[in-house]
Structure formats: C-alpha cells, structure tokens
Amino acid sequence: MTSAEQAHLSQSRYGSSSRAAHQAGHRAAAEPRTVRHASSTPGGASRSQAPSRSEGVEAYRSKRRKKGRGRALRGVLISLLVVLLGAGVAVALYLRDIDSRLNPDGAVSDSIRQQLEAVEPQQPFYMLLLGVDKSEGRSEDWGSDTSNFRADTIILTRVDPPAQKVTLVSIPRDTLVDMGENGERKINDAYSIGGAAYMTEVVSDFANVKISHYAEVDFEQLTSIVDTIGGIEVTLPVAVQDDYAQIDLPAGTQTLNGEQALGLCRARHAYDDYGGGDFYRAANQRMVIGAIVKKVLQLDLISMATTVSELANSVTTDFSALDIIGLAGQFRSLDADKDIYSGQTPTVSEYINSIWYEIPDEAAWQEMLERVDAGESPYSDASQDFTAGVAGSIGGGTNISDADGSEGGSAVEPSYTGSVSVLNAAGVAGLATETAETLAAAGFEAEAGNASDYVETTRVYYNDDSLASALGVAKTLGVPEANVSQNDGSYTTTYDVIVVLGTDQA
C-alpha cells in the first residue's frame, strides 16, 4: 500500500492528522488534503488544523450511533408491521368463524342462492325472514330433518338504504296459496316440501317480487341475541299471559330479557279472547325485531361486531359478517320509531274441510304490495291495522300515510258527533264522568261506565264506519291516533265509539 493510500485510509477512519497530512504532501503532492479551518491564532492569523486522533474517534462513534438509531427505527417499523399483519390475520379468522356459523355446513345451498336475485349497491331490495322453531324438544320428537318443520314466522322485508326505511310484512302461516304441482296448500308447508329454497320461490311468486336475501332465525336461540345487547324495550297495550309460551307480562312499557322476548314471540293463546291469535303474535314479532334493530344501531362498532358474532349462533343467512356490519353502518341514522313500517297480508278466515285457512284478499293485497314497493306504509289508514291497541306495534302509528302522501295520520277527517261509551279502566273515581262531560262539550253523546280490568294506556275503539268519530274523540282527549282501532267484538256494538280510559288519563 502506498503512502498516499495509507493517508487516505487514515482520513476515512479518523480524520487527517497534521503529521500524516505533512508526510503525504511530500510523497504525493498531487493528492488533495482534507483539512478544516480552525479559529484564529492568538496572534490573529488564521491557520489550518486537521482533527486530532481523539476527534476522529468521536466522529467514528457518532457515525455508529446514527447507524444504530437507523437500525432501531427499522426494527420498530418491522415489529409494527408484524403486529398489524398478525391483527389482520386474527380479524380475518374471526370473520371467517362468524361466516361459518352464519352458513353452517353450507346451509345456504346453491338451490337457495339460485332463487335470490342480485341487487345493485345502494338500491332497495327484498329479503325473506323466516322463523322456524327447531327446539331440542321438537327435534327429539320429530327428528332434525327439514321436512319435519314448518315456518311459523314468514316476514317479507323491504330494505331501502338510500331512504333509510325498512318495511316488515307478515304473511300468515295459514295463508292458502297455489303451489302448482304441489296443489293448494298453506304457505308454511313450502318449507317442509323443499326447505328454504322452495319457501323463497313460493313467497316470491305470492308477493310478485324478486327476493335478494334470505335469513332464517332459530327462535330457540333468540334469547342470546337479546341478552347480548342488554335487553329490548317494548310497549304492550294489554297484559300478555300465555301458559304455553311460559310468559306473563303486564301492560305498558318495559325492558325484556331474552327469555321474555322469546315467550312474547311465541305467545298466541294470550289473544284467544280477541280471535286470531296468530295475527297478534305476528305483530309482536315485528315489534321485537324492530326493538332489536333499534338497540343494535345504538351500539359502537366493537359491540356491534360482538352482537353479529352472537347473531351467527341463531341465524342462517346468505349475508356475510361484513355484509351485516356494512348494512348496519348504512342505517346508523335510521329512526326506528318512524322509519320502520309494519303490516300483514290482508286475509279472510275460512273453515274448509275441517281446517282453518287464511284466504288472501287479492285486491287489498295488491294495493298493499304497490304501497310497499313505492316505499310507503303497508296501510293507507289506521283502521286497516286491527291488531293496533291489542298487540305491540312499531313506529307509534307514524307510518300511516295521509291522502296527500304525507306521513303521520289517517286520511279520514275527524268528526265530533256520535255516541260514545266511556269506560273507566284507571281505577280513579269520577274519571269516566269527567271525560264524558268533556266529550259532550265537544259535540258527542257520551255516557260513563266502568271497565272490568285496569289498563295503563287509553284506547279508542269504533264500530262499523265510525272511524271519523273515533278520531274526533281521540283528538279531543289527546289520545294518539295509533291507539285508535276497530272494535273486534271485545266491547259493545251499541255505541259508535268506546273509550277505555287508562291511568295515562288520570
């Protein structure tokens, strides 16, 4: 190695020493020297001074520290990347687990998917919601094969993300439909004939709509969903007591746990005195679904993901976990008390060959479908919902449209004439007499009396074509229009209107 090369090596390692630089200058004058300018000498003259050996060592250490910090930073970034990748894998596995439970063992078969019509994003779509009771007791008695079960709950659901509207239409399980080669049968027979795929096909034909999604709820597992979200709040117009459903609930607003919610969804004998217990049970089921939706939409994303995981234990659907969370995200601004519409297929009960059937009122059914497809309430006025005032409801009546298309009331104008029976069900002395005087002052012929039971919520019932008078009574007393309904025979038909005064009027 030449002297110049040695000098250059010394410079790169330690910086130039004055001696090395001096020697290098004699031996290789053409090679440049690396120097730095020092401060002036005490005599005032400037001089050039190469760094000392100790300064060179410090420079070396400084470079090493910088390299060390660079390696440490790279290490942190790599560690962070590994953590993020690990978290991504964990999330993917978590979602895969949920999806496997939403579609256990391929329960949503190709035959079901062939019945579902694809829909563009952000477009309204129809979904079939089935409630099939596959409790352990039934499985032990009949076996777990699909042919041994029928759909106790059939709800055609229209979901409209842009308009933030959800419409639930119950189809009575005893509805008589033509199933072609399978003949005329009750609509819930379709499940036992061909499972969910055939059920989807039959409902699609019956409602003349394209169904894009499907979900089947095992009511036996419904309790876990409700308990996971901390219970649901419902309002019951009348007490619900049903030994078969193992339920005994008072009238009024209350929070139900999972077991109580399940009992309410099963209770139909609680309404034997009103006739057609299935209709009132279906109304309560729609109320429970609405209450669950309302509670879920109030959750933060982490709690919502936990709920979807629990939901997967009781629901079979073509939706994935991300689909459900994404759909919930689209409806974060939905007002469940105003934007969920509810109704059921208009039918007439007939006893045919010793079997009860529900015969669809074709004209009324077609009118309802047109309203639903247009994003309106299934009912054009409050009188069409005969379960109101007895069973639970969604939306407090605000989903009833006016004749001009606006929401919030009946198309019938209130009248302030007619005969009214005022029944005291609040247990407050003199309340019925005082109320009757108020109605008389408004123009009605009112008489006071006592009811046989106590109630919390005031209800107004009308006979025949006296809806206008009932609306006038309700307006006079400040009773919500949602609490006005047709007399189903539970009260006298001698008067045009019957008012059952609850404690809310006391």
Side-chain angles (χ1 to χ4, degrees), residues 140-211:
E140 290 175 358
D141 291 340
W142 304 333
S144 58
D145 189 84
T146 300
S147 62
N148 293 321
F149 299 99
R150 289 175 173 79
D152 289 332
T153 301
I154 308 168
I155 300 179
L156 181 64
T157 305
R158 183 179 186 270
V159 181
D160 189 345
Q164 295 285 288
K165 300 287 185 183
V166 176
T167 306
L168 306 172
V169 179
S170 296
I171 301 175
R173 61 179 184 172
D174 294 335
T175 301
L176 185 64
V177 296
D178 187 350
M179 297 187 190
E181 62 182 15
N182 291 310
E184 290 189 330
R185 310 170 67 117
K186 292 184 177 183
I187 195 167
N188 69 334
D189 286 349
Y191 191 89
S192 62
I193 294 173
Y198 190 52
M199 193 78 204
T200 303
E201 178 184 346
V202 169
V203 173
S204 178
D205 291 341
F206 176 63
N208 194 29
V209 298
K210 295 179 179 180
I211 297 175

Side-chain angles (χ1 to χ4, degrees), residues 4 20 47 80 148 214 224-225 228 233 240 251 274 319 344 363 406 482:
R47 65 182 177 87
L80 180 60
N148 293 321
Y214 158 83
S224 63
I225 301 174
T228 297
E233 183 177 280
V240 179
Y274 299 95
F319 276 124
Q344 67 180 12
S406 62

Side-chain angles (χ1 to χ4, degrees), residues 272-286:
D272 286 344
D273 292 340
Y274 299 95
D278 272 342
F279 301 137
Y280 298 94
R281 175 173 65 172
N284 283 337
Q285 290 171 346
R286 297 193 300 272

